[in-house]
């Protein structure tokens, strides 16, 4: 039962249109506008995150796809208006391990991802007429693992919003660091990007999340990263992909790039 998984007393997703639901939407939208994100701490009921991790760990340990690459903040080979040695194009390293949706059928993570009241709440909080689950069997929901010495380095997101659910925090490190509105659709702010990569941006902030927290983040123009994980405990986070149009799937090329396989 979803009520045994999500704290629907605190976050009344199942009572759409009620005063409590409306208040949650308004508070989430206000936080998005002010901070570029909102967090629902304690979204999962006590003990649920641990159960979800127990379901995923055997797959993560034996069949996850290890993604290791050097990249710039744009995930692009070049930027036409920048010389290859421009400091905004400094290379950084990302290492992660990915479990795809087709590897965890019937899991707690997928039951949350597909919970229609959550999809409708997210649409309302983001100011979208409607959102849809992704149809891609691999990409719709992923669980990312980061082990000692690994990090998700500085980048901008391709999509306007990213929805994640932290399942397990590491012992040390693995913090979410971000710089709100580092660029805009009209101004790429390459010098500002260079300052951030050089560690000289005083407006960069760090968010330390607890397991069981749902985070919705506007990452298209806000640079962000996950700092290097330390200690024995892996950082494990679910990433949910929703779209404004139905039926979205990745191409075989995209699947191979992200997951090392097309099917």
């Amino acid at each position: 039962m979803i009520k045994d998984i999500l704290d629907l007393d605190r976050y009344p997703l199942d009572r759409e249109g009620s005063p409590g639901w409306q208040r949650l939407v308004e508070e989430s939208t206000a936080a998005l506008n002010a901070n570029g994100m909102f967090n629902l701490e304690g979204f999962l009921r006590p003990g649920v995150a641990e159960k979800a991790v127990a379901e995923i760990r055997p797959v993560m340990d034996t069949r996850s796809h290890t993604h290791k690459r050097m990249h710039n903040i744009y995930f692009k080979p070049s930027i036409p208006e920048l010389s290859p040695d421009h400091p905004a194009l400094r290379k950084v390293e990302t290492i992660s391990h990915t479990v795809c949706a087709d590897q965890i059928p019937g899991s707690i993570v997928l039951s949350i991802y597909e919970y229609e009241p959550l999809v409708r709440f997210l649409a309302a909080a983001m100011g979208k007429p409607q959102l849809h689950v992704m149809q891609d069997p691999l990409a719709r929901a992923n669980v990312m693992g980061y082990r000692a010495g690994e990090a998700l380095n500085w980048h901008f997101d391709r999509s306007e919003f990213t929805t994640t659910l932290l399942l397990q925090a590491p012992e040390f490190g693995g913090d979410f660091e971000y710089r709100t509105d580092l660029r805009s659709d009209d101004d790429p702010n390459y010098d500002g990007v260079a300052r951030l990569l050089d560690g000289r941006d005083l407006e960069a902030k760090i968010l330390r999340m607890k397991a069981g927290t749902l985070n919705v983040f506007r990452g298209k123009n806000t640079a962000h990263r996950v700092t290097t994980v330390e200690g024995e405990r892996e950082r494990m986070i679910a990433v949910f992909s929703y779209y404004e149009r139905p039926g979205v799937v990745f191409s075989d090329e995209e699947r191979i790039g992200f997951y090392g396989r097309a099917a």
Side-chain angles (χ1 to χ4, degrees):
M1 293 287 287
I2 199 74
K3 67 180 180 58
D4 299 322
I5 295 173
L6 306 182
D7 190 343
L8 297 176
D9 301 317
R10 186 174 178 184
Y11 301 114
L13 306 187
D14 57 336
R15 298 191 290 283
E16 186 173 351
S18 68
W21 184 90
Q22 194 61 44
R23 185 166 55 249
L24 179 61
V25 169
E26 290 169 0
E27 290 172 353
S28 301
T29 300
L32 263 180
N33 292 335
N35 308 312
M37 73 170 73
F38 69 84
N39 294 288
L40 304 186
E41 191 172 305
F43 188 67
L44 299 185
R45 290 197 179 277
V48 171
E50 291 83 353
K51 289 180 183 175
V53 168
E55 289 178 345
I56 292 159
R57 177 168 284 121
V59 183
M60 183 68 77
D61 288 350
T62 61
R63 294 192 288 130
S64 59
H65 174 63
T66 300
H67 203 74
K68 179 177 180 178
R69 63 170 164 169
M70 299 295 296
H71 61 88
N72 58 45
I73 197 170
Y74 307 102
F75 284 123
K76 293 180 179 179
S78 63
I79 298 292
E81 58 265 39
L82 294 182
S83 64
D85 60 351
H86 191 283
L89 295 179
R90 173 186 294 182
K91 291 287 182 70
V92 292
E93 184 178 58
T94 282
I95 307 175
S96 61
H97 310 270
T98 305
V99 169
C100 297
D102 67 334
Q103 295 175 303
I104 48 172
S107 62
I108 290 171
V109 164
L110 284 186
S111 70
I112 298 169
Y113 170 70
E114 294 168 349
Y115 182 49
E116 192 58 36
L118 171 61
V119 184
R120 290 199 296 270
F121 159 72
L122 290 171
M126 295 175 189
K128 305 293 184 186
Q130 198 173 6
L131 288 177
H132 302 271
V133 296
M134 195 180 189
Q135 293 304 305
D136 193 290
L138 277 64
R140 53 206 317 263
N142 294 161
V143 179
M144 315 293 292
Y146 301 89
R147 301 165 187 170
E150 299 175 349
L152 171 62
N153 229 306
W154 286 115
H155 65 286
F156 295 104
D157 288 342
R158 294 195 301 174
S159 56
E160 183 184 0
F161 290 101
T162 301
T163 303
T164 65
L165 179 61
L166 186 64
L167 303 176
Q168 180 171 276
E171 292 166 272
F172 308 102
D175 294 320
F176 185 73
E177 186 173 5
Y178 63 100
R179 169 53 163 88
T180 302
D181 293 335
L182 179 59
R183 65 178 184 180
S184 69
D185 292 343
D186 302 320
D187 178 13
N189 190 19
Y190 295 126
D191 291 340
V193 169
R195 275 195 304 276
L196 178 75
L197 295 175
D198 201 32
R200 294 185 291 112
D201 191 325
L202 300 180
E203 293 185 48
K205 298 176 182 176
I206 285 184
L207 174 68
R208 293 186 172 91
M209 286 190 290
K210 296 178 181 178
T213 298
L214 184 84
N215 172 274
V216 174
F217 178 67
R218 183 183 274 124
K220 187 179 177 185
N221 289 324
T222 293
H224 52 288
R225 68 173 175 171
V226 174
T227 62
T228 303
V229 167
E230 302 172 42
E232 294 300 310
R233 193 166 62 237
E234 187 171 3
R235 184 186 198 264
M236 211 177 285
I237 191 164
V239 182
F240 296 154
S241 294
Y242 302 105
Y243 287 84
E244 292 180 68
R245 56 189 174 89
V248 173
V249 295
F250 277 167
S251 66
D252 285 354
E253 185 180 10
E254 286 175 310
R255 287 198 202 111
I256 291 169
F258 285 116
Y259 310 121
R261 59 190 174 100

